[in-house]
Every structure is written in structure tokens, then in C-alpha cells.
Amino acid sequence: MKILSVNAGSSSLKFTLFEMPAKEVIASGVFEKIGLGDSFYTIKYSGEKLRKEKNLFDHSIAVNTLIEELISLQIISSLEEIEGVGHRIVHGGSEFLESVIMNEELVQKLALCNDLAPLHNPAHIMGIKAFMGAMPNTPQICVFDTAFHSTMKEKEYLYPLPYEWYEKYQVRKYGFHGTSHRFITKTLSEYLNRNDLKIISCHIGNGGSVTAIDSNKVVDTSMGFTPLAGIMMGTRCGDIDASILSYVSKKTGKNLDELTNDLNKASGLLGVSGISSDSRDVEQAAEEGNPRAILAQEMYAQKIANYIAMYNNLLNGADVIAFTAGVGENSKHMRELVISKIASLGVKIDVSKNDFRGEFRLITSDDSKIPVYVVPTDEELMIAIDTMNLVLNNN
Ligand code: AMP
């Protein structure tokens, strides 16, 4: 069966078409600058790459164009061949605790989460509505970044703030990257043939989060009410003292929205290094001896290591640690630096095993107290798996 996995942003729409359950990618691509005038799209299929410019006035036009192209490129013979569409949704609030088949009523319920993720959820809803319009008879499934974290207990997800902020305004930790952490958990559980693993999953990309998992359930995760919390990231600050905001506001005259923007977009690796949010650029500058790049890298690795140590304690000893996402999968240097900072846990890297990028591999020595694996993540596939399962169960 063919399953489409989509990720709708405010001006973009990414898609991957899978043959399931073979997990084979038939086509993938992205529609960019939707509604911005100079829009275009690319589609990769059978070793070919198509790029076209077209005025994509809104998401509905992008979706209809996608369907027309899939048919005209003979990737599918008719719309009915696609048996389900899975949508990546950043925030499911406290309502959506697992993947669901959407209907009009649930779309309205999802819109109530818009305030919790104003940059993402309204765009996802545009995507869902566009697909519902273009494919009214095809199940539309939502897969939430927050859902995997819904097993956290109150003592982990509550902030030590006035309780009524939680009761009245849903201020609590939600956690993100859940679809990726779930994929890592599934991959390791299947590979090691165990359902009771205690895993510390480190998703280190442009955004980053560390999650503690016990027997397939999240115990705690580093991101919080929003994806700003936790470890230091490409442009996000991670955990900081909240008083900094009022202090810098008084000093600079910037308002809260402007400062929050600085915490999200001008901080992290970019803020400290002053060079780039991309760890490749920072790595290169550090190699050339740039002191702020070296400092940024040290801080970046230390904060990841601190979360690993904290979660090792929370789990009462982890069975396995995993690195994933852009930096975790590709940067042997960052993996080595992080592991050098958790030596007290008895974790020992094998430098010769760590010399690669982008594959599933063990990178620690035989006498390492906790094995560390690199596990390439695949959120699109996880969305396709959920979509397939819900479509099959619904028939
Ligand atoms: P993601 O958000 O998972 O797509 O990760 C994006 C980040 O991965 C980029 O900002 C890069 O810093 C990082 N990255 C990708 N390839 C490499 C590489 N070969 N070495 C170091 N970092 C990399």
C-alpha cells in the first residue's frame, strides 16, 4: 500500500511517498515559498529530480499540484492508490496522546493547541485541510511530536511555578521530537530484542533534545513547554535563568517578544560562536583555533553530557545511549567530545568505530559500561508506519 507522509510549514510542504510495509521511498520532495510569489517545487523519484516554478497561491494548490505531478510522472496511476496521508504535527497539547485519524471535529480540537505552537500548528492545519479537500475519501492521520512524551509523570512535567498557571493556562512540560525518539526506541528495542530497555536518546540536530526512556515509555525529556528548553542548540539557548529576560529588557528596551525571538534565533551555537548555527561551520572555525568557536563547542557538548548524566541517574542506570539527527549522526567529533564528558559513567568510545557518518553502528569499546549507538532517525517513516497501522485497523 502507498502511504504519503507530509510535513506542512507556513510556506512549505515536504512529502515522502512510501510503499508500505516495505518501507521503500517511492518519491519525495518539497513545495517551497507557498503564498510568497516566487514559489517552486522539487520531486525526486526513480533516480530523477524534477524542479518547477509555479505560483502556489496556497497549500491547496500545492497539494493539487503534487497529486497531478504524481499521476503525470506515473508514480501513481490514480489518487485512490494512496491509502493514507500522515501529517507531522508539532503540538498535540494535553489532548492528543497518540496518533489519530482526523475528522472535522478533531481539526477544530487541534486548532485549540495553536496558541501552544503558533509557528507550527496553524500551518499543519492548513496542510490537513488542503489534503482533506483534495482527497476527501482518504484517511488523514496526525502524528504528534509531543505524543511519545505523554507518559511523563506529573513530577516530571510540572514546573515549580504557581499551580494555577498549569490549571488555567496548561503551562507544563510537553516535550518535542517525540516521533524521532520513538523511532530510536523502536529501532534499538528491535535490534537488541528487548522491550525493557532503559534508553537515553540524544536527538542532536539544529534543534536538539535528550530523552530518558524506560520500557518504551518516556520518563523525562529536555525540551519543555516549547522547543526552546533543554540543551543548547543551533540558534536556541536551551535552559537559562528566566530573570535574564526582564534584566535585558530593561537594558535594551526590547520587549518580551523580541527577546524571545533572540532566545530562539540568535542564541545557541550561533550566539556564542558569532559564526554560525551550523555545527560544521563551528567545527571548522574551532579547528582553525577560533576561541569563541572552541567555547561554543565545549558548551554544546557539556550540556548534552550533563543531561545524559542526569538521566542516567533518573533511570537508575541506562542500558544504552543513542545519538541521532544531523549532528548526532554525522559529527564524529561532537560524539567524541560528548562521550569524553561522561567518562565518570564508565562510557568509553572506540575511536576507530566512531569514524563514519550516517549509519546504524555501535561506537563504544567492549568494556564500556553503557554501549552507545548511532541510530539514523526517520520521522517520515515513523509517520508512515503509524498511518499504515491506523488505516489497516480502521478497515
Ligand atoms: P537536523 O536538524 O537534524 O537536520 O540537523 C542539522 C544539523 O546537522 C546542521 O545544522 C549541521 O550542523 C549538522 N550536520 C549535518 N552534517 C554534518 C556533518 N557532516 N558534521 C557535522 N555536523 C553536521
Side-chain angles (χ1 to χ4, degrees):
M1 72 196 296
K2 291 186 175 56
I3 298 285
L4 191 61
S5 183
V6 301
N7 184 354
S10 56
S11 63
S12 70
L13 183 86
K14 289 190 197 135
F15 74 92
T16 310
L17 181 66
F18 287 94
E19 183 64 53
M20 298 296 285
K23 303 177 181 173
E24 184 197 330
V25 175
I26 306 169
S28 66
V30 58
F31 288 72
E32 293 191 52
K33 301 201 173 179
I34 299 170
L36 298 178
D38 51 348
S39 40
F40 63 96
Y41 57 93
T42 50
I43 301 180
K44 284 194 218 163
Y45 66 105
S46 316
E48 308 275 329
K49 186 170 174 180
L50 169 101
R51 185 186 192 279
K52 278 193 190 168
E53 277 162 34
K54 178 174 178 179
N55 192 359
L56 304 164
F57 181 69
D58 60 20
H59 284 68
S60 293
I61 294 177
V63 169
N64 284 318
T65 306
L66 168 61
I67 293 165
E68 282 162 23
E69 286 288 8
L70 291 177
I71 294 174
S72 82
L73 296 168
Q74 297 181 339
I75 297 167
I76 55 171
S77 52
S78 76
L79 191 57
E80 287 67 42
E81 244 184 87
I82 299 175
E83 294 189 47
V85 181
H87 298 259
R88 181 217 176 188
I89 310 291
V90 164
H91 217 308
S94 304
E95 291 291 333
F96 294 94
L97 307 184
E98 56 186 20
S99 303
V100 287
I101 300 181
M102 293 307 274
N103 55 35
E104 292 290 344
E105 197 186 320
L106 287 176
V107 173
Q108 283 177 19
K109 206 168 170 187
L110 180 60
L112 299 176
C113 300
N114 281 356
D115 274 357
L116 295 171
L119 298 179
H120 294 99
N121 272 34
H124 299 327
I125 290 176
M126 281 197 281
I128 299 167
K129 286 185 173 167
F131 275 97
M132 280 180 158
M135 307 170 79
N137 301 319
T138 308
Q140 305 294 321
I141 278 82
C142 283
V143 180
F144 304 92
D145 272 11
T146 45
F148 188 46
H149 301 298
S150 66
T151 51
M152 279 188 293
K153 301 249 166 62
E154 216 173 19
K155 67 185 168 69
E156 256 74 50
Y157 72 66
L158 269 189
Y159 290 110
L161 292 167
Y163 196 77
E164 64 180 39
W165 293 12
Y166 167 58
E167 288 180 307
K168 284 191 182 159
Y169 315 119
Q170 299 88 48
V171 174
R172 51 159 284 184
K173 179 186 280 196
Y174 291 99
F176 300 88
H177 292 145
T179 307
S180 173
H181 291 297
R182 185 155 59 96
F183 184 83
I184 303 310
T185 304
K186 180 172 151 47
T187 306
L188 283 172
S189 303
E190 284 171 5
Y191 180 74
L192 298 169
N193 200 19
R194 278 180 58 182
N195 256 323
D196 61 344
L197 282 176
K198 292 192 273 185
I199 303 171
I200 300 174
S201 171
C202 308
H203 178 115
I204 316 295
N206 191 29
S209 63
V210 181
T211 296
I213 298 134
D214 187 351
S215 309
N216 300 319
K217 292 196 167 76
V218 170
V219 183
D220 200 1
T221 189
S222 62
M223 280 180 168
F225 176 63
T226 72
L228 180 60
I231 58 174
M232 173 172 159
M233 303 175 223
T235 59
R236 286 172 244 169
C237 59
D239 299 335
I240 58 159
D241 181 341
S243 310
I244 293 169
L245 285 180
S246 66
Y247 175 80
V248 178
S249 175
K250 282 178 201 138
K251 291 282 177 197
T252 61
K254 285 188 179 181
N255 65 31
L256 274 182
D257 284 343
E258 290 168 317
L259 290 174
T260 304
N261 194 50
D262 285 346
L263 300 187
N264 274 294
K265 303 220 168 116
S267 302
L269 278 178
L270 173 65
V272 177
S273 72
I275 293 168
S276 170
S277 61
D278 191 305
S279 77
R280 283 166 290 202
D281 301 336
V282 179
E283 246 174 61
Q284 195 181 334
E287 269 168 35
E288 289 161 6
N290 182 304
R292 272 176 55 189
I294 295 170
L295 175 65
Q297 279 207 312
E298 281 291 318
M299 288 170 64
Y300 192 61
Q302 189 64 58
K303 287 172 198 305
I304 299 166
N306 290 351
Y307 262 99
I308 295 174
M310 184 164 73
Y311 285 164
N312 187 60
N313 182 52
L314 181 68
L315 292 171
N316 199 17
D319 295 314
V320 52
I321 296 169
F323 281 110
T324 193
V327 181
E329 291 169 29
N330 294 306
S331 174
K332 61 180 180 182
H333 175 72
M334 192 45 68
R335 294 193 296 253
E336 193 176 337
L337 199 57
V338 172
I339 292 175
S340 73
K341 294 177 187 302
I342 50 172
S344 70
L345 305 183
V347 181
K348 292 185 195 161
I349 197 160
D350 181 330
V351 178
S352 65
K353 286 188 193 165
N354 185 42
D355 191 11
F356 70 98
R357 355 179 343 210
E359 286 172 41
F360 180 97
R361 282 205 207 170
L362 177 72
I363 57 170
T364 36
S365 58
D366 292 344
D367 63 341
S368 177
K369 215 166 161 195
I370 310 171
V372 180
Y373 287 86
V374 174
V375 186
T377 194
D378 196 338
E379 289 160 284
E380 291 78 17
L381 176 59
M382 196 72 240
I383 290 170
I385 292 171
D386 278 10
T387 304
M388 174 184 71
N389 289 337
L390 280 170
V391 169
L392 291 175
N393 286 341
N394 197 42
N395 281 338

